[in-house]
Amino acid sequence: MGSEAPIQILLVSYPAQGHINPLLRLAKCLAAKGSSVIFITTEFAGKNMRTVNNITDKSTTSIGDGSLTFHFFDDGLPEDDPIRPSLSGYSEQLELVGRKFLSELIQNHAESNKPISCIINNPFLPWVCDVATEHDIPSALLWIQSAAVFVAYYNYFHKLVRFPTDSEPYIDVQLNSSFALKYNEIPDFLHPYSKYPFLATLILEQFKNLSKVFCVLVDTYEELEHDFIEYVSEKSILMRPIGPLFNNPKIKDASDIRGDFVKRDDCNIVEWLNTKPKGSVVYISFGTIVYLPQEQVDEIAYGLLDSRVSFLWVLKPPPKEVGRKPHVLPVGFLEETSGRGKVVKWGPQEEVLSNSSVGCFLTHCGWNSSMETLTLGVPVLTFPAWGDQVTNAKFLVDVFGVGSRLGYSQIEDKLVTRDEVKKCLLEAMAGEKAEEFKKNAIKWKKAAEVAVATGGSSDRNLDEFMEDIKKHGSV
Ligand code: UDP
């Protein structure tokens, strides 16, 4: 490395687990490549992150040639304020305090001769690039869903293709791929029957502001989503695929810097997996937000009992703010499955999926989970709930060929019975189909490893992104 001062980059994250994980991974990659990175989110999230992980506010840790500092800001609400779980009210509050905080931070850095060279945010914070523009600082977006989903929102926003409407709710959507997406395969916040139209509005706000960012970074890789990345580039948007971020070899040494909100269960999960034969365990997790109806949990539990497969099931308690009852397992379930099954509140998902005993992932198909399973070579059973999860499920099954469908989205409101659960579990764990899924999963895993290795497509994209920032600074 030369003697030039490191570039200072601010990363601003919406305070949700699925937002923090990929942005923190990007933070570590940028630091490893020599930048001074400041990772910003709310104190409310920061408090959980500090309690569960080994991180501190405002102290700087060296990573590779650069460094990472956490900076948490007060969202201005009391601890148990009822606005926080409501996305619309909370987003307004966050913008109000976030704009002021960010402006002051930028100003302070400029005054202490450490000017900020670039600001990166993840979705739900469309105002961050306005603040960057006000201070004449280049900004970028880390899109935390797939490039295909980006293309769907882009087409919807610019009205480039027909989407389902109240009068035509069941039409297909033809994006730039050879196949159309059915009405129930598009990111379903864009469907007129969505229960969460506000989320579409919030995501589309980012598309309104897209001309203000000079680059869209995506946690995907060229080999996986080439056609969609190329399509976006043809629209004169600089899209750089830089994933899989979590598996970047340059941040292996910083794997203990994590942003988990929930403490892992202290029950030797990995040690337990190590006692199981190769490919014999199904891992089950619905991510951080999806909360299944109790009757669906019952059917999954009975499917597990009847199929007799080994399993690791993350059954997280509901967050206290939302006032839901914790799930209850059938009487005798834990005793009957003792030895072959484990139920935990939170686990080290990347380590679990890396463990050779895991043969299949029953997943809600959040994009982080989708990337993690694809690039660790683990086949799936898809069980999406909403938003991009339904599109990811379509791609995992029909495009990437790594699994089969099990569950339906919440809009469809269908219960998956214990017999369906049992049948799919047995098919996914052994036999011809299972072998085909595994073969494809291994192909994506190898391609991902090449993408993030030195000189691979994602690695080059990160280098070029850093070069772009430096060029902006020198004009
Ligand atoms: N995760 C984890 N332990 C668990 C369950 C989930 O570490 O027990 C992590 C998982 O690895 C992923 C994130 O939580 O990085 C969930 O993100 P995703 O986009 O899949 O779903 P979301 O929670 O945003 O719906």
Side-chain angles (χ1 to χ4, degrees):
M1 290 289 326
S3 57
E4 51 188 284
I7 52 173
Q8 307 269 334
I9 308 180
L10 291 189
L11 266 61
V12 191
S13 183
Y14 188 81
Q17 188 79 75
H19 285 62
I20 286 174
N21 283 5
L23 197 68
L24 184 53
R25 291 162 180 169
L26 174 63
K28 294 194 269 183
C29 288
L30 293 171
K33 284 189 176 284
S35 323
S36 290
V37 180
I38 303 173
F39 186 93
I40 296 167
T41 191
T42 62
E43 167 57 22
F44 190 76
K47 199 173 59 215
N48 288 327
M49 288 164 69
R50 289 193 304 271
T51 310
V52 173
N53 313 277
N54 183 22
I55 56 175
T56 36
D57 196 4
K58 297 199 193 73
S59 78
T60 299
T61 311
S62 296
I63 299 179
D65 294 323
S67 66
L68 172 64
T69 311
F70 287 94
H71 200 140
F72 303 114
F73 70 96
D74 190 346
D75 63 12
L77 298 174
E79 175 81 20
D80 52 357
D81 196 291
I83 280 195
R84 217 179 259 110
S86 111
L87 256 174
S88 60
Y90 189 54
S91 296
E92 274 175 41
Q93 173 70 13
L94 206 53
E95 172 166 1
L96 198 73
V97 289
R99 274 180 181 265
K100 190 163 171 285
F101 166 80
L102 206 55
S103 258
E104 283 171 7
L105 189 71
I106 294 167
Q107 198 63 39
N108 289 343
H109 270 260
E111 282 161 12
S112 47
N113 226 2
K114 285 186 182 164
I116 303 298
S117 301
C118 180
I119 306 182
I120 308 173
N121 68 281
N122 49 26
F124 295 5
L125 305 169
W127 46 268
V128 170
C129 59
D130 289 328
V131 178
T133 309
E134 280 156 28
H135 290 267
D136 209 15
I137 296 173
S139 69
L141 168 71
L142 175 67
W143 179 251
I144 55 173
Q145 300 180 354
S146 70
V149 169
F150 184 93
V151 169
Y153 278 107
Y154 183 88
N155 274 268
Y156 183 93
F157 180 75
H158 291 286
K159 300 190 173 54
L160 299 178
V161 302
R162 274 166 13 108
F163 272 78
T165 57
D166 280 321
S167 55
E168 288 183 307
Y170 300 119
I171 60 167
D172 289 355
V173 174
Q174 183 66 57
L175 299 175
N176 59 308
S177 46
S178 54
F179 54 91
L181 294 178
K182 295 203 185 68
Y183 75 94
N184 55 3
E185 294 170 344
I186 59 169
D188 75 1
F189 301 147
L190 297 176
H191 196 277
Y193 297 163
S194 167
K195 292 183 198 152
Y196 311 102
F198 174 72
L199 281 172
T201 313
L202 197 55
I203 294 170
L204 291 167
E205 281 296 313
Q206 191 74 60
F207 283 77
K208 215 188 265 175
N209 259 357
L210 213 51
S211 62
K212 293 184 184 153
V213 302
F214 79 90
C215 179
V216 179
L217 301 166
V218 196
D219 193 1
T220 186
Y221 51 108
E222 185 66 46
E223 296 69 13
L224 188 72
E225 295 208 280
H226 172 79
D227 294 355
F228 294 98
I229 296 159
E230 188 175 69
Y231 173 87
V232 176
S233 306
E234 282 162 10
K235 303 287 171 196
S236 305
I237 297 165
L238 177 60
M239 176 174 268
R240 291 197 183 279
I242 51 165
L245 285 166
F246 85 96
N247 218 9
N248 191 305
K250 304 206 172 51
I251 61 172
K252 283 260 178 309
D253 291 347
S255 59
D256 57 332
I257 305 178
R258 298 180 56 88
D260 292 359
F261 291 180
V262 184
K263 204 169 169 40
R264 294 171 183 192
D265 277 16
D266 203 8
C267 56
N268 304 327
I269 294 171
V270 175
E271 289 75 3
W272 180 79
L273 286 173
N274 287 342
T275 65
K276 299 286 169 218
K278 191 167 179 237
S280 66
V281 178
V282 57
Y283 169 58
I284 307 172
S285 165
F286 291 86
T288 55
I289 305 165
V290 170
Y291 194 72
L292 294 183
Q294 175 62 46
E295 51 183 345
Q296 186 60 78
V297 169
D298 292 340
E299 293 305 307
I300 293 176
Y302 283 112
L304 287 168
L305 279 171
D306 296 347
S307 67
R308 310 211 52 79
V309 297
S310 297
F311 63 89
L312 171 66
W313 187 356
V314 178
L315 200 57
K316 60 182 187 310
K320 58 179 180 330
E321 309 88 85
V322 296
R324 285 203 182 99
K325 286 194 196 140
H327 289 126
V328 187
L329 288 166
V331 177
F333 177 85
L334 292 176
E335 293 73 16
E336 234 177 282
T337 57
S338 151
R340 80 171 158 99
K342 220 177 190 21
V343 179
V344 298
K345 296 193 182 76
W346 185 259
Q349 182 161 303
E350 297 157 39
E351 279 175 67
V352 169
L353 290 172
S354 308
N355 195 289
S356 62
S357 68
V358 174
C360 173
F361 181 12
L362 196 171
T363 171
H364 76 306
C365 308
W367 186 241
N368 292 306
S369 295
S370 301
M371 273 304 268
E372 289 159 11
T373 199
L374 263 172
T375 59
L376 290 170
V378 180
V380 296
L381 282 175
T382 64
F383 209 122
W386 57 58
D388 66 317
Q389 296 158 17
V390 296
T391 315
N392 299 339
K394 156 82 184 170
F395 275 76
L396 287 166
V397 172
D398 292 333
V399 184
F400 307 141
V402 295
S404 45
R405 282 187 185 76
L406 178 56
Y408 310 93
S409 75
Q410 285 197 352
I411 294 188
E412 295 187 79
D413 197 21
K414 284 195 223 161
L415 186 74
V416 177
T417 64
R418 59 195 71 183
D419 291 343
E420 290 171 84
V421 174
K422 175 183 171 190
K423 178 174 163 284
C424 283
L425 280 175
L426 293 176
E427 265 178 21
M429 299 304 281
E432 224 172 276
K433 264 190 179 176
E435 273 171 33
E436 180 68 23
F437 298 153
K438 185 70 187 172
K439 203 173 88 207
N440 289 334
I442 295 293
K443 180 183 82 185
W444 295 120
K445 177 181 188 228
K446 288 194 173 141
E449 281 164 1
V450 173
V452 290
T454 303
S457 55
S458 292
D459 185 57
R460 283 197 316 274
N461 271 315
L462 260 182
D463 283 339
E464 286 167 21
F465 174 69
M466 301 265 290
E467 286 308 313
D468 290 344
I469 300 175
K470 288 179 193 157
K471 268 187 238 146
H472 275 279
S474 59
V475 275

